[in-house]
Amino acid sequence: MARAHWGCCPWLVLLCACAWGHPKPADLGGQDVRNCSTNPPYLPVTVVNTTVSLTALRQQMQTQNLSAYIIPDTDAHMNEYIGQHDERRAWITGFTGSAGTAVVTMKKAAVWTDSRYWTQAERQMDCNWELHKEVGTTPIVTWLLTEIPAGGCVGFDPFLLSIDTWESYNLALQGSNRQLVSITTNLVDLVWGSERPPVPNQPIYALQEAFTGSTWQEKVSGVRSQMQKHQKAPTAVLLSALEETAWLFNLRASDIPYNPFFYSYTLLTDSSIRLFANKSRFSSEILSYLNSSCTGPMCVQIEDYSQVRDSIQAYALGDVRIWIGTSYTMYGIYEVIPKEKLVTDTYSPVMMTKAVKNSKEQALLKASHVRDAVAVIRYLVWLEKNVPKGTVDEFSGAELVDKFRGEEQFSSGPSFETISASGLNAALAHYSPTKELNRKLSSDEMYLLDSGGQYWDGTTDITRTVHWGTPSAFQKEAYTRVLIGNIDLSRLIFPAATSGRMVEAFARRALWDAGLNYGHGTGHGIGNFLCVHEWPVGFQSNNIAMAKGMFTSIEPGYYKDGEFGIRLEDVALVVEAKTKYPGSYLTFEVVSFVPYDRNLIDVSLLSPEHLQYLNRYYQTIREKVGPELQRRQLLEEFKWLQQHTEPLAARAPDTASWASMLVVSTLAILIWSV
């Protein structure tokens, strides 16, 4: 799990509150920390003065005859994380939270965001901005209808609104005598000017064949085969998500934080391949790798990134049918393709294909998780020695686990911002510390670590919760019930093609039995040196059905507001299940290899089946990770691993329980003998 990402499907981020229900700090929803009614107004020192930039933006709006302008928090590719030069909403408002939509009229400016960010927004925005503590297009449109006159025009950058988001705004404004206006030149960019951070320009590189499941030529042939078999006979596939182009050509870069992508589009036809990107970033070796010097069906023509809209519009003039995945295609492309020439699915064929890993990709991902386990175990061993000294805080801890990962072979940085949370901070499901704001780790509190790495052979994501002192009985019960949920889903056998949503409740059942629950999703797909949250795999209603070869996280949790938080997250491979009778059934094979905290497990709550599963899992960890620790002479870590994977035994009933059982047995014999 990372901060505020995939709880809602990515293309509906403006339509719904994130499905990860976030535990709220006590001060959320209270009095605005600003006081804009005094003269001068009282403002926290952290606010950003936006008067000049707003004035300049309104001048640009006047030139376009606009009554309002929408500024989303997205980029042109619906990336989970966005580059600095795409942080338009943050720049114009001063509010740097990852979720929120800004709207500016000629007289007012407002931001809509969810409860995680209310206090942050108040501390960063000046009195030019109203804060609306709600999300979705409906409250935004309701506000617009009261603030702009009939006949007014609402401008937006079509490359920053998904198809679904545009449709929601358009539908809500219908009949209101207000009009949505698509403006391809972003007005915030014009105001930002030379201060805007530059677009990344690092070289684009190809993954070595050892780290890819197939050559790019094999992948292209596979997609073209799907085009030929499609009943609507598309002549081209348009790829808008950066991960699609990266996967298709086995190319990587570092344009996006935590994701090894580069800004690009691909138009793959039955006879040509057009890659839209900054050509200056391709070395002669990469151009040769892509066969860019020829024009045949297996030659990749590099075209300028900025020309994609015009090129698609020109291609659409012919007798063509363009296949798109609506989930990641922005309105800026969609609006120039005649609807009769569109072939639409929720996800593109590339997104669907890469969701199922072939045998080589599976082996690569598994190998990356073994090395990742070494880094996490090194960190846990270090914590056990240093937390009692009182010298470790959440931020320094996060830096250290990232450092340990960086020392692993094939490492390419973290896969998301590390969640390092102690005590009450762990009750905030997406909390991450900063150098300025963090909490000391203590032997008297729970500590939750949710972290992951990018490696050339795979992407990782794992969460472990630990306690070095004496946990309360409730903490142990809650932890054990979360663990049981993890085990119950991990060992589940279910029919092939079952939706993840159909089986998700197994992760919650042990918590529900005690009247407990968690407010976030239960898992997400994961890529091969791609996204740590890879759609469309997962356990939500808008995820596709489970299939052999998919990888997903399994991550139940429990959060006690103001006290502690628990999450146990593993990555698992969907595999065929062996059943007594013939049939097509699936189950999960866990590929995360870090033991759970024995100090927090209440063995009396575990069934014999749970114990058997745990002990088998611990034996697997010994077999997978133990030799790697020994090979690298990490003897202290090896000893720790052996201790923490000792087989767990069922707790024997105490004397009173044995006496009770004897009485019950005696009564039963007497009753049956009558």
Side-chain angles (χ1 to χ4, degrees), residues 17 24 26-34 101 110-123 125 130-136 139-140 143:
K24 304 173 186 177
D27 62 342
L28 291 189
Q31 188 71 28
D32 194 326
V33 298
R34 304 173 298 175
T101 300
V111 166
W112 285 258
T113 190
D114 66 68
S115 60
R116 292 165 297 152
Y117 298 111
W118 293 344
T119 298
Q120 179 181 347
E122 291 166 358
R123 291 173 177 168
M125 297 193 307
E130 299 176 358
L131 174 61
H132 292 262
K133 299 179 178 181
E134 51 191 342
V135 293
I140 294 175
W143 184 83

Side-chain angles (χ1 to χ4, degrees), residues 486-652:
N486 184 300
I487 294 172
D488 283 347
L489 185 51
S490 297
R491 62 190 290 267
L492 183 69
I493 295 174
F494 53 94
T498 296
S499 164
R501 187 65 173 173
M502 295 291 292
V503 301
E504 191 254 8
F506 283 88
R508 300 178 185 268
R509 184 173 60 179
L511 288 162
W512 287 351
D513 283 345
L516 305 177
N517 201 3
Y518 55 94
H520 57 67
T522 296
H524 55 82
I526 195 162
N528 279 80
F529 192 29
L530 289 166
C531 285
V532 72
H533 307 115
E534 183 173 82
W535 283 81
V537 176
F539 295 97
Q540 295 173 222
S541 57
N542 44 19
N543 291 134
I544 60 176
M546 291 289 176
K548 177 184 174 183
M550 292 178 174
F551 281 84
T552 182
S553 70
I554 296 174
E555 48 181 302
Y558 173 72
Y559 309 90
K560 177 68 172 174
D561 285 1
E563 294 187 24
F564 65 88
I566 300 164
R567 187 161 60 252
L568 296 174
E569 176 184 18
D570 295 307
V571 171
L573 169 64
V574 182
V575 297
E576 289 183 1
K578 296 178 181 179
T579 54
K580 181 178 181 180
Y581 300 105
S584 184
Y585 286 81
L586 302 172
T587 189
F588 297 106
E589 175 191 337
V590 173
V591 300
S592 299
F593 301 117
V594 177
Y596 309 111
D597 186 6
R598 302 169 78 89
N599 191 35
L600 281 164
I601 299 175
D602 183 347
V603 179
S604 68
L605 293 175
L606 300 178
S607 70
E609 291 78 14
H610 293 137
L611 283 168
Q612 182 184 41
Y613 174 91
L614 262 180
N615 290 332
R616 190 166 59 243
Y617 173 57
Y618 280 178
Q619 182 60 34
T620 300
I621 292 177
R622 286 186 170 192
E623 294 171 356
K624 298 286 186 182
V625 184
E628 182 67 11
L629 293 173
Q630 289 179 305
R631 183 184 69 81
R632 292 167 54 178
Q633 293 295 301
L634 295 170
L635 303 184
E636 185 179 11
E637 286 79 3
F638 178 75
K639 180 180 178 181
W640 182 95
L641 180 69
Q642 295 296 103
Q643 293 172 343
H644 285 73
T645 53
E646 285 290 333
L648 288 163
R651 183 175 298 165

Side-chain angles (χ1 to χ4, degrees), residues 5 10 18 31 47 57 80 92 94 120 135 154 323 359 425 433 437 446 453 455 470 514 564 641 669:
H5 49 89
C18 206
Q31 188 71 28
V47 302
L57 178 61
E80 176 183 346
I92 197 69
Q120 179 181 347
V135 293
V154 180
W323 191 2
S359 58
N425 286 339
L437 295 173
M446 277 192 177
Y455 304 91
T470 305
F564 65 88
L641 180 69
I669 293 170

Side-chain angles (χ1 to χ4, degrees), residues 30-261:
Q31 188 71 28
D32 194 326
V33 298
R34 304 173 298 175
N35 187 343
C36 295
S37 61
T38 61
N39 188 16
Y42 169 75
L43 295 172
V45 295
T46 49
V47 302
V48 176
N49 188 327
T50 62
T51 300
V52 173
S53 55
L54 273 175
T55 299
L57 178 61
R58 287 177 172 130
Q59 291 173 350
Q60 293 293 338
M61 291 166 58
Q62 279 185 318
T63 64
Q64 300 286 342
N65 195 29
L66 298 178
S67 300
Y69 190 64
I70 300 171
I71 307 163
D73 55 15
T74 55
D75 67 8
H77 303 275
M78 295 301 295
N79 285 303
E80 176 183 346
Y81 304 101
I82 62 175
Q84 289 184 342
H85 69 288
D86 282 322
E87 293 178 346
R88 299 175 178 90
R89 192 228 56 225
W91 181 80
I92 197 69
T93 66
F95 164 54
T96 59
S98 64
T101 300
V103 180
V104 177
T105 70
M106 298 308 295
K107 295 182 178 179
K108 289 187 177 181
V111 166
W112 285 258
T113 190
D114 66 68
S115 60
R116 292 165 297 152
Y117 298 111
W118 293 344
T119 298
Q120 179 181 347
E122 291 166 358
R123 291 173 177 168
Q124 292 182 319
M125 297 193 307
D126 63 14
C127 290
N128 288 313
W129 294 90
E130 299 176 358
L131 174 61
H132 292 262
K133 299 179 178 181
E134 51 191 342
V135 293
T137 54
T138 299
I140 294 175
V141 171
T142 299
W143 184 83
L144 281 170
L145 293 178
T146 63
E147 295 297 332
I148 64 174
C153 294
V154 180
F156 69 98
D157 182 339
F159 283 95
L160 299 184
L161 290 190
S162 68
I163 298 169
D164 286 340
T165 304
W166 173 83
E167 287 179 342
S168 70
Y169 277 113
N170 193 51
L171 183 63
L173 286 171
Q174 279 183 3
S176 70
N177 196 21
R178 280 92 168 169
Q179 181 182 359
L180 275 178
V181 179
S182 171
I183 302 172
T184 56
T185 300
N186 190 281
L187 302 189
V188 174
D189 291 351
L190 294 178
V191 176
W192 206 347
S194 60
E195 294 182 10
R196 185 184 178 207
V199 177
N201 198 33
Q202 297 92 338
I204 294 166
Y205 61 94
L207 283 178
Q208 297 176 24
E209 190 173 333
F211 301 113
T212 65
S214 309
T215 66
W216 71 258
Q217 291 91 341
E218 291 169 336
K219 293 178 178 180
V220 165
S221 297
V223 176
R224 282 176 170 159
S225 177
Q226 293 184 56
M227 291 166 58
Q228 294 167 2
K229 296 174 183 176
H230 197 290
Q231 61 181 1
K232 294 185 179 179
T235 61
V237 171
L238 173 64
L239 306 179
S240 293
L242 301 188
E243 62 192 279
E244 295 176 314
T245 291
W247 176 87
L248 183 65
F249 297 111
N250 296 326
L251 294 175
R252 300 292 190 272
S254 55
D255 294 10
I256 305 297
Y258 307 113
N259 295 149
F261 306 149

Side-chain angles (χ1 to χ4, degrees), residues 461-481:
D461 185 2
I462 185 171
T463 307
R464 290 294 182 263
T465 306
V466 297
H467 196 304
W468 299 283
T470 305
S472 69
F474 177 61
Q475 288 175 331
K476 291 187 69 169
E477 178 184 359
Y479 181 95
T480 306
R481 290 186 181 277

Side-chain angles (χ1 to χ4, degrees), residues 407-423:
E407 294 170 359
E408 292 300 316
Q409 191 177 26
F410 311 137
S411 173
S412 187
S415 57
F416 58 92
E417 185 177 17
T418 296
I419 296 173
S420 171
S422 181

Side-chain angles (χ1 to χ4, degrees), residues 301-322:
Q301 303 305 307
I302 310 296
E303 299 191 23
D304 191 77
Y305 174 83
S306 64
Q307 296 302 308
V308 63
R309 178 180 161 105
D310 291 342
S311 294
I312 297 299
Q313 190 170 20
Y315 177 77
L317 294 174
D319 182 18
V320 299
R321 288 162 301 284
I322 304 173

